[in-house]
Amino acid sequence: MSSTEVPRIITSRFDFDDSHTLARYEATGGYGALRKAIAMDPAAVAEEVRSASLLGRGGAGFPAGVKWGLAPAEVWPRYLVVNGDESEPGTYKDRLLMERDPHQLIEGVLLACYAIGCGQAFLYVRGEMALAQERIAAALNEAYAAGYVGRNILGSSFSVDVVLTWGAGAYIVGEETALIESLEGNRGMPRLKPPFFPAAKGLYMQPTIVNNVETLSNLPWIIDNGGAAFAALGAETSRGTRMFAVSGHVKNPGVFEVEYGVTTFRDLIYSPQYAGGIRDDNAIKAFIPGGASAPWFFEEHLDLPLEKVTVDRAGSMLGSGAIVVMDETTDAVKACLRVVRFFARESCGKCTPCREGTTWLEKILRRILDGYGRPSDLALLMDVCDNISPGIAWPPKQTTICPLGPSAVSPIASAIERFRDEFEARITQADENRTSVPVAFPKAVSHV
Amino acid sequence: MSDTEAPAVDGVVVEINGHEVVARKGELLIDAAERAGTYIPRFCYHERMKPVGMCRMCLVEVDSGRGPALQPSCMIECTPGMKVDTESEITKKAQDGVLEFLLLNHPLDCPVCDKGGECPLQDQTMAYGPGESRMVEEKRHKEKPIPISELVLLDRERCILCDRCTRFAKEVAGDPLIHFIHRGNNTEVNTFPDEPFASYFSGNTVQICPVGALTASTYRFKARPWDLETTESTCQGCSFGCRISIDSSRDQIQRFSGVDIDPVNWGWLCDKGRFSSEAVNAAGRLGEPLLRTASGLAPARWSEALAAAAAALSAADPAAIGVIGGARLTNEDAYAWSKLFKGVLGTDNVDAQLGDGLPAEALLGLPRTTIDDLCAPGGTVVLLGPDPKEELPVLFLRLRHAVENDGVTLLEISPRRSGISSLAAVSLQPRPGETGELLRALTAGTEADRDIAGIPVDRVNAMRALLAAAAGPVKVVLGRSSVGESEAVTLDATSVLLAARPDTVFLPAVRRANIHGALDMGLAPGLLPGRVGLDAARDWFGSRWPSVPAARGLDTTGILTAAAAGRLEVLVLLGADPLADFPDARLAERAIAGVRTIISVDTLLNTTSERAHIVLAAAGFAEKAGTTTNLEGRVSTLSQRVTPPGTARPDWVLATELASRLGADLGFASPAEILAEISAVVPSHLGLTADLLAQAPDGLVLPIGATSGLPAPVAFTPTPAVPAPPVDAYAFRLVATRKLYDQGTIVQAGPHLSGLAAGTSVRVNPYDFDRIGVAAGGTVSVRSPQATLVMPIHADAGVPRGTAAVVVNQAEHRVAELMNVGDVICELLIETTS
Amino acid sequence: MARLTPDNVEIALEIIGRYPRPKSALIPLLHLAQEQDGHVTDEAMAHIAELVGVSAAEVLGTASFYEMFKFEPVGRYMVNICTNISCQLMGGEELLEHAEHTLGIRPGQTTADGLFTIEDVECIAACTEAPCLQVNYRYFHRITNEEFDQLVADLRAGARNDIPAHGTLARVRQRIPVDRRAGVVTPEDTAQPVWLAGSQEAKS
Ligand SMILES: Cc1cc2nc3c(=O)[nH]c(=O)nc-3n(C[C@H](O)[C@H](O)[C@H](O)COP(=O)(O)O)c2cc1C
Ligand code: SF4
Ligand code: FES
């Protein structure tokens, strides 16, 4: 991993071996923002964050300051829930922040609680991240002992417990309402929004702010340096810096903190200071710009800046900052199936179209890959997609509660649109090589 | 919730398919549309449960100002100006898509599926669905039906994961014993291993399952919907009066289903009621009269049997005739018997109760409340009666809903913790015999300063504070919580409460099916039909009936005592079984042995009627038409669906025939004529005509008209305090309660229910074990002044210290032998058997 | 052993005490049970149900939703090989195949000696380090076939005591010192937080 002249806001301590310790954190200015904030009016702290125009880093990119303001006035208690469930394929940054700089996250949590008036905070860490949990637990233990967390923080009237809680393996729990369900001890099945917008009716039906780990990790810097300093970085609609993970067929895969909205995909993928180009200097075939849910981009998108609005307009999203690069050797059908399998496996099962549809899509794709495709299958795939996400448009419409089901549509729509010939080749090949379909696939059957 | 009421002032105007519709404030779109005549298809939505929006079948295009978007109409409330299109291309495509998805893995076994023919999934598919599946891959496979309880089977392949059964179990019944397990496409409904869905309400899941995934073991493969004939009626499993529909085919009852009526059961039934359908067809139903011969009871001709009965009755001194029972009758039957015994034969020794309830004057004379009023939001309910979950299960559901959703405060006073205790704001367990003392402390002007009736002072004061804070009248569910204690204790407590809070209202909670109708019809000593006393109504009935008894007669205890003393010549049992039900089994035994002639009118032989001299075979539930009255005084109709076995006859026919053999004419020849007489003669029922009932599908609560100028109704007379007996540190006070499944006819006559009666043991508080010297699970001797029983003993933290709890009317241990009916409490010595 | 041990009950009660509602502790307690027995037993679920006041079916409902909980014994080492997109592109599927050959088992199976279980898992957030895997949730980045074989050999030889047995989630637990606890805030605690008193937001 490397990064250069751009200011390092959240990865500034990553080069220290002991970056996760309280000693290192304090030695590098840690908990200064907390001290500063406690001397301020909570509303002023919130205002500072608002003026930073910090977009949420969890995927949806909603401005954090605005979200905080959505909690209904005078309804108490409020809770803060930290989303550390990072599981979107291609995404790799929250784990680093939790493992390498847990105090920065804790300080961010405290600042948010102070500003919003949260009575208790829950830090929900993905279950499979044992090291992150150990580091956060250790950091919290240190921070409690040092008086940064808990009762009468730094001698003030500000008191809050930060409870580390851990998941147990379910991608969908990254979705904020599912996360809340999980935190209530339930199956992680999303709630319908409206009416269950967490800011109004969240944990235990109380106002709840859910923020991503990276989002909150920015807060100490913002309070230290001011919202304006943060907003001065980046582009019009995408301020500050942001972490991007570049993986797949690149020479130097890595996680990079770059100025938001300025760097282009081409920079990030090809520049020697970042991913360093495609392996073996192959041609690029496609890339996923923002996690497995995002529609794929191609060569013609390389010069777009990593900027939220621009990418949205171009028909995809920056999502969770996960760029997955596929070179010309990639089998589009196989890649497509693998992403679809992910959503099929991770569907919570609540909505019929997602539960049944994603599994069916996976079955059809696997059948095509196994050489049992039929010429009608491509139209069928698209029609099933259409029944999950009507119109197959971007941003997606949905017949489901949450966007997981429609996310399975992205890879299919992208791959079939661009690489139809590869799908057709598989199918024709099948026609030539197979005399009949296996018995497992009976002819169409009547339902009534 | 009433679906017919026009929305009033706070209506919300929305546009559905181009038509303006006025929705109620906060009304869900799916409901508003349906009221306006637009049915939106659905699977997961159920109007009596919270919406979850899972199945996605109800998606419609909704424009709330930001352009049309697909929304689940079961989850969104109507907002002003909302424009809805339930027929657009996009809506249709989405709904077709969902249907196709639901069918992907659904087996095509409609021809052998119990739901076939009445299956919403099948109907939707026929109406809108694609003819063929586009899925050529294999379907999901699961083991075919697995039993999830004694009564319900689950076929997970058919399940469409609508969350109805699981929501019902948790949200409505409070028994979350079935649950979704696994995730995504592997999700299924199941129980915890070895922990079956043993809920008293499990059958409701069969009814609300929108496919054939859940089926009832009583109904599997029994009938096809198109063979069924259906009638509405009222369940006679208990006195709550749930509305049901009865399905029959080939003159056989096939099943009961709950009908959703707002004031009573909301569509729910308990399993005892639902599966009591089997009792109608029970083996052993009497199809002809029996007469005692040298070799026992033998079939007889009706003319012989009736002649024998008439002879016995006419030979007896009216004061030496006793009549017990009547709660399983229709109102018309009860009226006919009442007129025969009181108006023709002139005996007043008539009691529909079996010594385990409360005096009729209390049940009829206390100011009453209705179920809806009891459960109205924000009220305070005092439970001073039996465990509703065991005795009036759907009342339990209504109370549970009221507490969980409508802010009702429940204060429970019970001899042991019950199935509803966890819902109570405070639940107190006074020592048997001392409930009156507790009530005095609860209603006193100052806080208690010491423990009362064995209850810590702070707990007493906690309930006292809640009682004092109750806004509006306190509503009391009143009944006999333990037959181990004299009714006088409950009456004392009632008197105290009424004196302190005169606006208190009561829901009488005695449980036998039409007990309230029987009492209304005068089947109680000292009463005449219409909730009036002998003396108050002597003139009224004097001019309408052949005669009126001269003086108040005996209740069941009195009748049995007279019989035991050899003073009774004829004992008539109207579907009663005193040997099983009377709380003093020894007295009952002496009485049956001491009476000269026993005439039993019944549908089945029971322990007492087996010893009768004359048995008249009666038509039972669903075999005759009439009306019934529930615990709130709601009269509703009972329908005939099948013909009685053999030559069994309705009770009213038997009454008229006996009357004519005794030289009297009761004056009616059909249930309709009896109802007409009731509506003209019975003071509380004046004006209650068949026409009026026909227009009131939910039934009618009495009285319906003015009551001035009529005989004064009976009133409750406050009773004197019962002095609390001194505490004997060596003895345990008996608490004797009921369970839903017992040795009673309904349970025992059905093959699927009979095995559910769990038997009894003696249960004491874990802390009381050391003084008994036996480990839990061991066997002890339980000794009262009446009898000694050898029984297993178990620990139960819900039983207060110093008391011993048993369940009455279970197999093997006849705990009724322990009790002596006159005593305030029953004290037991529990000892090792060695 | 199947119910929670007295020591674990103590930990469980402490964990329950951190949440405004006991049921919120379900997942942490299931982890505790898995740590104790290597997998989640029926008896442990029934015990947890008692501890948090829900039915055993509800505990199973929650537990079975999540990938990490195993209801049958698994190997001492759970080897999770990622085959999701970034790893697939970099040879994750081939690595998995190699692992199957080396260990002689298919995903979901356990070696006869009870040491290894392998799983074909979804993205584990190490995408830039593909192909990658976890052993009992400890990461191994950019793994070659040879490195995999070496890792197996080391584990067999007991030479990797940095990897605890399956079920151990985190060797460091959060401990909230009693004197530093701010305390749970339940939905019934409807008072405005004290530090907001006089704040502009409170006034607005
Ligand atoms: C299917 C799905 C998965 C998600 N997974 C994550 C995740 O792993 N981590 C995360 O922070 N946000 C995730 N999100 C986004 C969250 O719902 C939520 O928007 C975010 O945590 C809010 O934090 P932010 O405003 O700070 O970005 C996911 C959303 C969806 C729909
Ligand atoms: S879209 Fe899929 S993951 Fe999302 S709530 Fe529906 S079923 Fe669950
Ligand atoms: S009926 Fe609305 S989603 Fe099922």
Side-chain angles (χ1 to χ4, degrees), chain B residues 3-20:
Chain B
D3 281 353
T4 44
E5 251 165 51
V9 258
D10 40 343
V12 175
V13 181
V14 297
E15 193 185 298
I16 300 178
N17 298 341
H19 301 288
E20 268 197 5

Side-chain angles (χ1 to χ4, degrees), chain B residues 266 369-381 398-399 401-403 405-409 471 473 475:
Chain B
W266 293 4
T369 182
T370 60
I371 299 162
D372 268 353
D373 182 52
L374 183 83
C375 298
T380 299
V381 171
R398 290 290 310 266
L399 281 171
H401 182 94
V403 171
N405 301 286
D406 293 332
V408 165
T409 305
K475 302 154 190 177

Side-chain angles (χ1 to χ4, degrees), chain A residues 42 45-50 54 62-72 78 80 108-109 111-117 199 209-211 215-216 219 223, chain C residues 201:
Chain A
V45 177
E47 182 48 40
E48 209 62 65
V49 175
R50 204 165 315 161
L54 168 65
F62 195 80
V66 176
K67 188 190 275 186
W68 294 6
L70 294 178
R78 292 173 182 174
L80 180 76
V109 170
L111 293 169
C113 288
Y114 182 73
I116 308 166
I209 301 299
V210 183
N211 271 135
T215 313
L216 292 167
L219 297 187
I223 298 304
Chain C
E201 207 236 16

Side-chain angles (χ1 to χ4, degrees), chain A residues 169 187 345-348 350-352 356 359-360 363 367 374 383 386-387 399-401 441-442 445 447, chain B residues 53-56 75 93 101-103 105 108 131-138 180 182-185:
Chain A
R187 301 161 60 78
R345 265 216 199 177
E346 297 298 337
S347 165
C348 81
K350 193 169 184 180
C351 314
T352 308
E356 305 291 336
T359 321
W360 191 13
K363 283 181 178 169
R367 188 161 49 76
R374 302 170 304 171
D383 194 52
D386 190 68
N387 286 340
T399 55
T400 53
I401 289 175
F441 309 140
V445 275
H447 270 310
Chain B
M54 290 192 69
C55 75
R56 319 304 291 171
M75 287 289 286
K93 173 99 169 70
F101 286 139
L102 286 173
L103 290 167
N105 283 297
L108 304 172
E132 298 201 318
S133 174
R134 295 190 290 175
M135 188 175 86
V136 295
E137 292 83 10
E138 258 204 282
F180 280 149
H182 306 312
R183 186 178 73 210
N185 204 35

Side-chain angles (χ1 to χ4, degrees), chain A residues 166-234:
Chain A
W166 50 92
Y171 162 71
I172 188 58
V173 163
E175 195 282 332
E176 54 188 1
T177 59
L179 183 66
I180 287 169
E181 285 285 335
S182 186
L183 207 44
E184 292 184 5
N186 300 327
R187 301 161 60 78
M189 310 217 285
R191 301 172 177 169
L192 191 77
K193 302 186 279 190
F196 302 111
F197 283 115
K201 284 176 190 233
L203 188 61
Y204 316 120
M205 290 298 143
Q206 290 300 124
T208 302
I209 301 299
V210 183
N211 271 135
N212 166 263
V213 163
E214 184 186 347
T215 313
L216 292 167
S217 294
N218 279 289
L219 297 187
W221 195 95
I222 291 174
I223 298 304
D224 271 334
N225 298 278
F230 188 87
L233 294 165

